Amino acid sequence: MAVRKNQSTLTADEKRRFVAALLELKRSGRYDEFVTTHNAFIVSDTDNGERTGHRSPSFLPWHRRFLLEFERALQSVDASVTLPYWDWTVDRTPRASLWAPDFLGGTGRERDGRVTDGPFSASGGNWPVNVRVDGRTFLRRSLGSGTRELPTRAEVESVLSMSTYDMAPWNSGSDGFRNHLEGWRGVNLHNRVHVWVGGQMATGVSPNDPVFWLHHAYIDKLWAEWQRRHPGSGYLPAAGTPNVIDLNETMRPWHDMSPADLLDHTPHYTFDV
């Protein structure tokens, strides 16, 4: 059984293996396929039309399915690798261990956001940004520039206390747990972290930055925590809802799993805590 660990507890060898698997997926071209998929859904997911990956109830199961596929791709390179998660309520500054040169590298330089250290820097030549929203071909970050503060644990607790998963109009205007976690309402959790990292993370091609996977692994963990706290509150909507994914509908682009199939993560992985 795969165990997803807090990135702050990874050993030097675990970090090395994770980075090496990422670089191999990038070299083979498989990594960019995930970036392309994510960007396609960012573009197509709108409040007033069909929406699957974002602004919708299936934000959480869609990303759980997306991360599962990516984790399996990593494991095809190195079977020992699992996705770590980044608890940004604790590791909340540019000096946190995940931004060290032996792991993800740090923030970008002031004039253009270009990351200059770590295994994903342009100078290393191993991380060209091929799926992009502009002409820049290098990984960019501006840690803490777009928004000064990452979400706090108290803000997370305020969202975890919400007992209803989602509700009409089932988009970025909805109340309920999903939309507050996604960040279109209230204290803004998920979206704010993307903006805090900046660079590609603040765009539809956010998986260009490997921290995307650590961020979403933590969002996935928060969903699991909410489920434990509210065992009587299930995924909504159940059936017959236009433009969004109901409980037993399969999700694009895979068409092989529904939200109901993904409510329990334990057949696939567990968390260290």
Side-chain angles (χ1 to χ4, degrees):
M1 173 63 68
V3 179
R4 294 185 179 175
K5 299 179 180 179
N6 189 321
Q7 62 79 28
S8 67
T9 69
L10 295 179
T11 66
D13 186 60
E14 287 171 330
K15 290 180 181 179
R16 182 188 62 78
R17 286 176 173 270
F18 178 66
V19 167
L22 288 169
L23 293 175
E24 175 55 27
L25 288 184
K26 184 68 166 177
R27 186 201 64 77
S28 70
R30 294 173 70 190
Y31 192 98
D32 288 347
E33 294 173 6
F34 289 92
V35 185
T36 298
T37 295
H38 187 269
N39 190 51
F41 279 83
I42 282 281
V43 171
S44 64
D45 290 330
T46 62
D47 274 342
N48 298 312
E50 186 177 357
R51 48 201 182 274
T52 302
H54 310 85
R55 301 171 178 264
S56 65
S58 51
F59 166 73
L60 291 167
W62 190 91
H63 280 86
R64 180 168 283 180
R65 174 67 178 80
F66 191 51
L67 265 64
L68 271 172
E69 183 164 335
F70 185 72
E71 189 168 55
R72 289 165 183 160
L74 291 172
Q75 290 166 350
S76 73
V77 176
D78 184 338
S80 74
V81 172
T82 56
L83 282 175
Y85 63 88
W86 167 32
D87 181 350
W88 25 255
T89 70
V90 175
D91 296 304
R92 46 191 301 104
T93 76
R95 296 179 299 280
S97 60
L98 78 162
W99 307 117
D102 69 338
F103 197 27
L104 300 187
T107 194
R109 61 191 184 188
E110 188 171 349
R111 72 173 182 269
D112 59 5
R114 179 171 173 160
V115 173
T116 59
D117 69 340
F120 310 105
S121 64
S123 60
N126 296 317
W127 203 257
V129 173
N130 302 312
V131 184
R132 51 187 186 264
V133 293
D134 56 34
R136 291 172 287 187
T137 60
F138 48 84
L139 180 62
R140 293 181 292 111
R141 293 185 187 128
S142 55
L143 304 183
S145 295
T147 181
R148 287 185 299 172
E149 188 176 77
L150 288 164
T152 65
R153 186 65 202 183
E155 289 172 324
V156 168
E157 288 292 331
S158 73
V159 174
L160 290 174
S161 69
M162 297 177 177
S163 60
T164 301
Y165 178 80
D166 209 342
M167 61 183 69
W170 316 109
N171 59 20
S172 68
S174 300
D175 212 347
F177 165 73
R178 184 276 310 170
N179 200 33
H180 284 258
L181 177 60
E182 189 174 354
W184 302 108
R185 289 285 297 272
V187 295
N188 183 357
L189 300 183
H190 157 267
N191 289 348
R192 197 195 326 175
V193 177
H194 277 271
V195 173
W196 186 90
V197 175
Q200 283 92 2
M201 268 286 279
T203 73
V205 295
S206 50
N208 274 308
D209 193 329
V211 79
F212 172 93
W213 307 104
L214 283 72
H215 172 37
H216 272 276
Y218 188 57
I219 293 295
D220 187 75
K221 185 176 185 291
L222 292 178
W223 181 27
E225 191 171 333
W226 179 86
Q227 289 175 301
R228 286 193 299 273
R229 295 191 189 192
H230 304 278
S233 300
Y235 178 93
L236 293 171
T241 315
N243 289 327
V244 299
I245 303 297
D246 293 320
L247 178 63
N248 292 297
E249 281 189 89
T250 59
M251 296 180 292
R252 295 186 300 117
W254 312 284
H255 298 291
D256 61 358
M257 298 185 88
S258 68
D261 297 322
L262 290 156
L263 297 179
D264 182 7
H265 66 84
T266 59
H268 309 287
Y269 55 88
T270 59
F271 293 101
D272 56 354
V273 177

